Amino acid sequence: MIHPYNFAHVRKLAGVLSMLLTVFLMLSSKTAEAKQEPDGEAMLTFSYPSLGQAYLNVVFFDDVPFLPLGEVLSMLYIGNEKTSNGKGLQGFYPTKNDNWLIDPLLGLVTIKGNRENLPADKFYVGQMDIYLHPDYYSRIFGLNFLINFNALSLSLTAEHSLPIDERQKREALRRKMKQSSANRDQSDAPLLYGRDRKLFAPGMLDYNVNYNVSDENRNMGILLNAGMELFGGDVQGIYSGTVLDGNLLSSFSGARWRYVLPGGLLPDKNAGMTGITVGQISTTGLNNSVGILGVGVTNNPVIPRMKLDVFVIDGYTEPDSEVELLIGGQLVDFLRADDVGYYRFNAPITFGVVRLAIRIYTPQGEVTIEERQLQIPFTFLPKGFVTYNIQAGIAQTGIDSLDNDLIGHADIAYGVTNALTVRAGVDNGAVFGKNMTYGVVGLSARILQQYLLNVDVLPDRHYQASASVFYANNTSINAQFTEFVPGSEFNLMGQIREANLNAFFPFKTFGKFSGFRLTGERQWYESGFRTNFQTDFNTQFGRIVARVNYRARISGVRDTGTGIEPPNLYNAIGQFTASMTYTLKRNPSIPVFVRGMFFRGQYRFDTYNKTPISYNLMISQTLFKMGRLTMGYEMDAIRKKGQFQLGFLYDFRGVRTSTQFSASRNTYSAQQAITGSLGIDPGGHILPDNRDQVTRSGVAVRLFIDANENGTFDPGEVVVPAKAIRLDRSANMILGSDGILRITQLQSYWKYQMEVDIHALPNPNLAPKVKRFTFVAEPNRYRSIDIPLYQTGIIEGFVVVDHSGKEEGLGGLRLVLEKLNDSEPLQLLRTFTDGGFYVFGLMPGKYRLSADPKQLEFMNVTSEPGILEFEIKALADGDYLENLNFKLRYKKE
């Protein structure tokens, strides 16, 4: 007999066992159904614009493709994480409020917050992933897949903006940002071509020949500007000649030799001395600069300082927002706000006008932009920096005439903080005044980041203060006040003081950008005063740009401009100017000979005498792509005289020609000008250019196949003619018939980063040993750069799974290939059905290969080895590595 108490326990135990059995049978039923084997398996080509082409392994049930969930989400960068039982996936998409969940173990699915059952025939649990029916991709993620059975391809249309689309846009902006001269980081590129000084190296010659003919006379002008390298320094000078009535008048100016020390190439360092200059130079005073024939020493770098400070920009927004930092409209950094919405950037503040913008993308898709603008003149120094200039020599009284007076100048500046720079200097010589020696002190300050103050004190000469501000909406205000010292040699007009104000206010009219500028100037003299002011308004209506300007002057002194004594104390002059421009569209519906034509009309009116001054009309049109024809007519309403003007400008590759003709009643004039430049490369080739080259630099790049693997070009080796070079700054590139790529318009002494574009090479199997490197642009001359190319490498191997001592090849596993010390994106590989894989086209360098950790985690296996590291050597016939094998072992439960 069973005790009632024990009987009750037995019944409870039986009930629990019955429930457990029922659950077990249900799960077993579901598992049995879900574990049914697919009808087939196939590797499809998956195409999507932001992804390109990839391979996707799918399984079929009744001709319906089931797609691997984890792999699809990973490809499209849709965030996800494992469920609590570790067998499913969950996340938020397309917004933060749309949570989803897929759990094959419990047979549950959550779609936009609504939970429902997941039928067993709608999913399949494979060895490496969960395969899901395409209907659920559409319902949960808005992903609509279309399969082409004949081509074994898969395409996708998405109802929402995918993370991979946004990622591609940002990566494109980042690649563009990396090519920008202001933001390019050269720290990871080795310096292969440093400064190479020459005792003598012929360089550049700029020329301008101008012939003028009129009804009164004719003359010809010649201007030559030469530059080269001599004794390790750069030399340049200008010759000017005029042929008039058979006589040649000549003069020389700007002839100087400069030796730049290594510290001059390091703008971020405060070197003790950076350069020595000898010849015709100017002192580095402010308004007291004079020309001398002498010598100068400085520690200012030749390359302008770009970076002054690091400016912290932080704030709060919605959590998980994507935040971008833009400087000058260029993306420079990107991050995601943390769990409380906080973000922080360290923005580099450069010299010049710096426009900062914070662009925020909230999880709800909203976009907000915050802007600010800073202006940092080059008069500022970084904190702790000291710079100086010293010049001494004989004063120049004319272009090519000298005085007997000795001139000396010295100045020094110190960066107290990044926002405060102080300076002092001294001038000595009779040209500065009767006291012979004069001092100067000054400061530049930045207040509240965007307000600038500049003060210069020149005792016994003048005192000057200026202030300016630039706002993010482009509003700008500038003010300046000067107090003069009577009798000073630098006050030839007898001024007492001067004040001026310049303000610009932008706004929109009819949705178009418009602006209003106000300028005023007041000058006090010993005998009176003079006031000048003008207003300017510009706006746009469709394709018409209109501008209205009014300027006036009120004088209480003799009008030195006309030499006429005013009839009363005040002499007022006023002028109103109105102009309009219109540009025809470049539409195919518009005749080609007027497509893009530019029209401009202007009217001027004397408001003081209430009479028209002039009106004119100009038409300009591009011809032959590189030429421009301009025609105009102007009527002088005061003299009742009209003038016709005709001009034609054409840019040939090596020369620029300009023709101007004007004619009026009984008078005419014509001008023909030819300008250009000649350079000599190290091979002795003369390189013509239509732009000035003196003070600039150039390189001759030779790509070649290094047959003997010695790294240098030898006779008989093949030159590869290709425009396969990218620079981090703008330049002109011309591929010669000899296969050498010549790059012009580089800045002398600047360091450039050069990158070989392997995709632009005619043979896709060629690659350089070093893809990216830096070089120094030599002054006033060309330098040679040889880049050896080699056949790319090939690797192959196998991935096997250890099944209790029995090894089987594993197909469909993703492998991640990464090149070390390189910014190239990761390369994803996939094993074949037998577990094998191979890759070709690998550039020389060190690599790392590993299995996809997400797939390893899903399979519950470990990889031996975890990471394979190898090196592709630069060989003429290419490097080949085999037996790069992985063995996968199941983890012990």
Side-chain angles (χ1 to χ4, degrees):
M1 181 176 180
I2 301 177
H3 194 278
Y5 177 82
N6 293 334
F7 182 76
H9 275 276
V10 170
R11 292 184 60 185
K12 288 183 179 181
L13 180 61
V16 171
L17 292 175
S18 177
M19 290 178 60
L20 291 176
L21 180 61
T22 302
V23 171
F24 176 78
L25 291 175
M26 291 175 59
L27 293 178
S28 299
S29 176
K30 286 182 178 288
T31 305
E33 292 178 14
K35 283 294 185 180
Q36 59 182 327
E37 291 302 317
D39 299 329
E41 183 178 352
M43 185 81 71
L44 303 182
T45 302
F46 178 32
S47 301
Y48 187 71
S50 298
L51 177 67
Q53 281 195 346
Y55 291 104
L56 193 67
N57 190 56
V58 303
V59 297
F60 289 91
F61 290 93
D62 297 329
D63 294 331
V64 177
F66 282 49
L67 283 69
L69 178 63
E71 187 168 359
V72 169
L73 298 182
S74 177
M75 283 182 171
L76 302 180
Y77 292 96
I78 297 177
N80 62 89
E81 61 182 9
K82 283 191 172 185
T83 56
S84 57
N85 58 25
K87 299 301 181 181
L89 295 176
Q90 61 185 351
F92 299 89
Y93 188 81
T95 69
K96 195 68 175 177
N97 298 324
D98 297 319
N99 63 301
W100 60 268
L101 177 145
I102 299 172
D103 195 325
L105 182 62
L106 299 178
L108 297 175
V109 59
T110 300
I111 304 175
K112 295 182 179 180
N114 300 316
R115 179 164 294 189
E116 59 184 67
N117 292 326
L118 177 63
D121 60 350
K122 298 298 183 181
F123 70 92
Y124 168 71
V125 179
Q127 185 180 11
M128 293 182 292
D129 212 330
I130 304 171
Y131 293 82
L132 192 66
H133 193 284
D135 288 348
Y136 283 93
Y137 284 97
S138 178
R139 294 181 58 197
I140 300 174
F141 308 106
L143 304 177
N144 301 304
F145 292 95
L146 179 64
I147 186 172
N148 185 328
F149 288 95
N150 295 325
L152 290 179
S153 64
L154 190 71
S155 60
L156 167 67
T157 57
E159 299 175 6
H160 312 287
S161 179
L162 293 176
I164 192 174
D165 296 327
E166 299 175 1
R167 179 186 177 93
Q168 186 198 44
K169 293 176 183 177
R170 294 190 181 96
E171 286 182 348
L173 289 174
R174 289 172 183 173
R175 285 193 297 268
K176 186 177 180 180
M177 176 267 295
K178 289 180 181 179
Q179 297 171 3
S180 172
S181 61
N183 302 308
R184 187 74 176 188
D185 183 13
Q186 298 179 347
S187 60
D188 62 339
L191 177 63
L192 298 187
Y193 294 87
R195 180 78 170 91
D196 183 21
R197 300 183 187 274
K198 300 290 185 181
L199 291 177
F200 173 77
M204 322 287 193
L205 175 67
D206 300 337
Y207 60 87
N208 181 292
V209 180
N210 198 326
Y211 186 71
N212 299 277
V213 178
S214 68
D215 57 305
E216 297 180 352
N217 58 38
R218 61 187 60 193
N219 64 75
M220 183 174 68
I222 303 174
L223 186 68
L224 302 176
N225 187 8
M228 65 179 67
E229 187 169 2
L230 182 67
F231 301 124
D234 60 284
V235 178
Q236 66 185 62
I238 300 174
Y239 166 80
S240 178
T242 302
V243 179
L244 181 62
D245 297 330
N247 299 316
L248 176 62
L249 305 176
S250 301
S251 63
F252 295 89
S253 62
R256 60 107 181 116
W257 174 82
R258 179 179 60 175
Y259 190 90
V260 177
L261 298 170
L265 309 184
L266 304 173
D268 296 330
K269 303 292 184 180
N270 197 189
M273 186 167 67
T274 59
I276 304 172
T277 306
V278 179
Q280 295 175 304
I281 61 178
S282 296
T283 62
T284 52
L286 300 173
N287 297 330
N288 52 320
S289 177
V290 297
I292 64 173
L293 177 63
V295 60
V297 178
T298 183
N299 76 330
N300 278 300
V302 176
I303 302 174
R305 289 189 175 95
M306 295 296 180
K307 183 178 177 181
L308 174 69
D309 197 359
V310 174
F311 183 57
V312 176
I313 302 176
D314 60 355
Y316 288 89
T317 183
E318 295 189 32
D320 208 38
S321 293
E322 298 174 351
V323 187
E324 295 178 343
L325 172 64
L326 297 94
I327 298 181
Q330 299 293 320
L331 179 67
V332 298
D333 205 354
F334 167 83
L335 54 79
R336 188 181 294 273
D338 62 16
D339 294 338
V340 296
Y342 179 73
Y343 63 88
R344 176 189 174 97
F345 293 104
N346 293 324
I349 301 300
T350 59
F351 290 94
V353 177
V354 182
R355 189 177 185 88
L356 304 175
I358 296 293
R359 189 161 55 197
I360 301 174
Y361 299 87
T362 66
Q364 291 75 27
E366 299 176 348
V367 181
T368 59
I369 299 177
E370 302 172 5
E371 293 183 317
R372 66 185 70 183
Q373 185 163 287
L374 308 175
Q375 185 187 34
I376 313 297
F378 284 91
T379 53
F380 283 86
L381 290 176
K383 180 181 179 180
F385 275 44
V386 178
T387 62
Y388 66 86
N389 296 281
I390 302 174
Q391 295 103 22
I394 303 173
Q396 287 187 271
T397 56
I399 295 179
D400 52 3
S401 59
L402 300 175
D403 202 346
N404 294 325
D405 294 332
L406 293 177
I407 300 297
H409 169 84
D411 62 67
I412 187 171
Y414 174 67
V416 181
T417 68
N418 288 327
L420 176 63
T421 297
V422 296
R423 51 188 175 271
V426 62
D427 296 313
N428 182 267
V431 68
F432 296 108
K434 60 183 179 180
N435 293 340
M436 294 290 291
T437 302
Y438 292 86
V440 55
V441 295
L443 65 86
S444 296
R446 179 161 49 96
I447 304 170
L448 299 178
Q449 296 297 335
Q450 58 185 355
Y451 296 92
L452 300 180
L453 175 65
N454 196 80
V455 178
D456 292 299
V457 178
L458 286 74
D460 298 325
R461 288 181 284 187
H462 71 255
Y463 310 88
Q464 187 177 85
S466 62
S468 63
V469 61
F470 288 79
Y471 295 103
N473 64 351
N474 288 321
T475 297
S476 64
I477 303 174
N478 298 271
Q480 180 174 292
F481 179 82
T482 306
E483 184 76 19
F484 294 92
V485 175
S488 170
E489 277 73 4
F490 289 87
N491 185 17
L492 302 178
M493 298 180 63
Q495 286 181 272
I496 298 176
R497 65 186 58 89
E498 178 182 273
N500 59 63
L501 176 69
N502 187 318
F504 177 73
F505 305 96
F507 56 93
K508 286 187 176 182
T509 55
F510 305 105
K512 299 292 185 179
F513 177 80
S514 303
F516 176 77
R517 183 177 297 277
L518 176 65
T519 304
E521 181 184 46
R522 178 83 171 197
Q523 299 169 334
W524 289 267
Y525 298 88
E526 297 174 358
S527 58
F529 69 91
R530 175 175 292 170
T531 301
N532 301 308
F533 67 90
Q534 68 172 334
T535 60
D536 191 278
F537 169 75
N538 63 81
T539 188
Q540 184 175 350
F541 304 96
R543 301 188 64 82
I544 298 177
V545 179
R547 178 182 178 186
V548 177
N549 174 272
Y550 175 74
R551 58 180 178 175
R553 185 177 71 190
I554 301 175
S555 299
V557 295
R558 179 184 178 88
D559 190 335
T560 58
T562 62
I564 301 175
E565 187 71 29
N568 48 45
L569 179 63
Y570 296 101
N571 180 24
I573 298 175
Q575 179 177 297
F576 171 83
T577 304
S579 64
M580 297 180 65
T581 61
Y582 180 79
T583 305
L584 288 174
K585 294 181 178 181
R586 295 185 178 273
N587 284 344
S589 59
I590 299 177
V592 66
F593 56 89
V594 295
R595 193 178 301 165
M597 184 174 286
F598 173 84
F599 298 88
R600 180 177 183 270
Q602 185 184 73
Y603 174 75
R604 293 192 299 160
F605 183 81
D606 188 336
T607 58
Y608 183 75
N609 296 309
K610 296 181 175 56
T611 180
I613 300 174
S614 68
Y615 51 88
N616 64 61
L617 176 66
M618 185 186 71
I619 303 175
S620 182
Q621 171 69 341
T622 301
L623 292 180
F624 314 118
K625 293 185 179 181
M626 300 299 292
R628 177 162 287 276
L629 177 67
T630 303
M631 293 183 294
Y633 180 80
E634 181 173 1
M635 171 58 72
D636 188 334
I638 297 177
R639 297 182 178 88
K640 306 297 182 182
K641 184 179 180 180
Q643 181 176 346
F644 172 76
Q645 297 176 337
L646 179 67
F648 180 70
L649 175 71
Y650 193 86
D651 276 337
F652 295 94
R653 173 173 290 185
V655 68
R656 173 180 294 179
T657 176
S658 173
T659 304
Q660 302 287 334
F661 175 80
S662 62
S664 58
R665 189 187 310 160
N666 302 324
T667 63
Y668 74 92
S669 66
Q671 181 187 73
Q672 176 62 52
I674 298 176
T675 61
S677 180
L678 299 175
I680 302 178
D681 73 358
H685 296 84
I686 297 178
L687 309 174
D689 201 316
N690 58 17
R691 300 174 62 185
D692 292 345
Q693 298 188 84
V694 175
T695 72
R696 302 292 180 91
S697 179
V699 293
V701 181
R702 178 168 50 195
L703 300 163
F704 68 97
I705 300 176
D706 189 11
N708 56 9
E709 302 171 8
N710 64 352
T712 60
F713 179 77
D714 299 310
E717 291 183 326
V718 178
V719 175
V720 179
K723 206 172 182 179
I725 294 297
R726 287 198 296 258
L727 291 182
D728 60 341
R729 297 182 177 94
S730 61
N732 291 339
M733 297 187 184
I734 300 175
L735 183 62
S737 58
D738 55 358
I740 296 178
L741 181 64
R742 294 176 175 88
I743 306 176
T744 65
Q745 298 300 314
L746 304 180
Q747 299 289 344
S748 294
Y749 296 108
W750 284 40
K751 185 186 292 184
Y752 287 83
Q753 181 167 286
M754 180 177 289
E755 183 177 358
V756 180
D757 183 5
I758 59 175
H759 302 292
L761 293 172
N763 184 346
N765 293 324
L766 290 176
K769 183 177 182 179
V770 180
K771 181 181 177 182
R772 185 185 300 111
F773 60 89
T774 59
F775 68 92
V776 174
E778 303 289 4
N780 285 334
R781 69 177 178 91
Y782 284 78
R783 77 176 307 165
S784 293
I785 292 180
D786 284 341
I787 301 178
L789 301 176
Y790 307 90
Q791 294 289 336
T792 54
I794 300 175
I795 63 171
E796 72 170 358
F798 283 88
V799 177
V800 297
V801 180
D802 187 351
H803 292 285
S804 300
K806 182 181 179 182
E807 297 180 354
E808 294 181 359
L810 178 63
L813 183 72
R814 292 193 301 270
L815 300 176
V816 181
L817 180 63
E818 176 186 9
K819 188 175 183 184
L820 302 181
N821 302 320
D822 200 290
S823 60
E824 291 293 324
L826 301 179
Q827 185 176 350
L828 296 179
L829 319 176
R830 188 181 294 276
T831 58
F832 300 108
T833 54
D834 63 349
F837 66 90
Y838 72 89
V839 185
F840 61 89
L842 294 180
M843 295 177 56
K846 294 183 178 180
Y847 291 82
R848 178 187 292 127
L849 182 66
S850 61
D852 186 347
K854 286 192 174 181
Q855 282 191 318
L856 296 181
E857 182 182 6
F858 184 86
M859 294 175 62
N860 196 31
V861 296
T862 59
S863 173
E864 298 179 0
I867 295 176
L868 270 175
E869 293 190 354
F870 60 91
E871 181 180 4
I872 297 294
K873 297 179 181 179
L875 303 177
D877 296 327
D879 198 3
Y880 175 73
L881 299 179
E882 57 182 341
N883 296 325
L884 300 179
N885 302 328
F886 291 93
K887 180 183 290 187
L888 306 184
R889 298 182 185 274
Y890 287 97
K891 297 179 181 178
K892 296 181 179 180
E893 297 293 341

